Amino acid sequence: MDLKYIVWKLPLSLTPFRLIRGALAQYLTHNEQQEEITLLRRMFVVMAVAALVAIPGALWVQAPDYDPLDRVMLPLTGLLYLVLLPLVLTGRVDPRRALVLSFLANASYLLLAYNHQFRVFAPQYGVLSQSTYWFAVLYVAAFLIFPTRLAKYFVRALLGLTIAITLSHLLLSPELLRGRELLGGIIQFLLAGVVLTSMQSRFGTLRDRLNAMQVVASHDALTGAANRRAAEERLQTLHRAGERYTVILFDIDHFKRVNDEHGHATGDLVLVNVTRCARQLLPDSAFFARWGGEEFLIILPSLPKEEVYELLRTLRAELRNQTFGPQKGVTACFGVAHVRPGETPEEIVARADEAMYARKNRGRNGVEFSTLTPETALHLLP
């Protein structure tokens, strides 16, 4: 192997920036649950509104003697929030991207302000400025917003840059060391940052373990889909909120025959790929779960029956065209029920189940709506 490649490429692959970039790409491309995306969107909206109120207030307090850095950075930061806020609210920008941009913007501002105060504020007043308080907020926010791995990279980079800025100014301006109050403030600021980031890192690790346990408790081990327990909890949540929704139960036709002819490994492959197909075709607002065995449950918002049928027609066609090892495609029976006023989750699931078995009794490979008349149902079914 070329020595030049070893000398240059290997160190570059281990740089902190490469690690941060990898963790950031994983965070932005991970297929998050819709509930998590909604929570992050709300979080960004609160942050943006707070910033858009605080920034004009900070400039108003300084008027007319504006700090040179604040004169530039605060309006730019406010402009960033003004641009991102409507894009996030309308769904044109993923809230995760908006949160990353806003975090980096705030971190950049604080680092510039920290560097700036060593030239202006610290020599004049002999203490650190009040802007250093916000570093603690950023350290905590990183672990609340981002996955632990990415948060660790962010806060370590932020802490490392503050240490580098501090050392550079103390080395270039030794007279700053004569001010005991300033030196004490610097030491406490940096030590507090080290302690806070270490504590948050530990809490983040514990949170990851808890999340992993929750995933195990709420997801099917084979397919990765939500399990029956998680589906029942979602139905109860919708019921308590009085939401209108649609339940779809479907069962893979002749699944026992697949296991008998090709083995259980092929049967498992069918279950995994049925889950993959459904997740790819269903809208983001859908909830998909393995109900048991070869039976799956879908929860959709209240949609017109024609739209539900068209969605299931597409899914059925995709399942027929798939190849699952030696198994060439599968079919399924679908039972659909729209929630009625005052209906419990158990009742609507029972109606969907009845509709699914009605479809089985009429020849399999089709869709049955529990709330339609026989004439209308025959008009929609193949």
Side-chain angles (χ1 to χ4, degrees), residues 114 117-129 132 166 169-170 173-190:
Y114 186 64
Q117 68 177 286
F118 278 101
R119 297 176 179 176
V120 180
F121 194 87
Q124 182 177 355
Y125 297 101
V127 293
L128 295 177
S129 72
T132 54
T166 304
H169 282 285
L170 293 180
S173 304
E175 64 273 12
L176 293 174
L177 295 173
R178 300 191 190 104
R180 292 187 178 181
E181 188 173 356
L182 174 61
L183 187 59
I186 292 172
I187 293 173
Q188 290 194 53
F189 166 66
L190 295 178

Side-chain angles (χ1 to χ4, degrees), residues 126-160:
V127 293
L128 295 177
S129 72
Q130 295 174 350
S131 63
T132 54
Y133 299 158
W134 288 96
F135 277 92
V137 176
L138 270 189
Y139 293 144
V140 174
F143 285 94
L144 292 176
I145 297 173
F146 306 118
T148 300
R149 177 168 169 252
L150 181 59
K152 286 181 179 179
Y153 289 146
F154 275 158
V155 299
R156 287 171 183 173
L158 185 58
L159 181 60

Side-chain angles (χ1 to χ4, degrees), residues 13-35:
S13 67
L14 300 177
T15 59
F17 295 105
R18 182 69 62 86
L19 296 173
I20 293 174
R21 187 175 65 180
L24 185 58
Q26 183 180 11
Y27 170 61
L28 294 177
T29 57
H30 185 263
N31 186 22
E32 293 283 2
Q33 294 288 338
Q34 186 60 34
E35 282 186 352

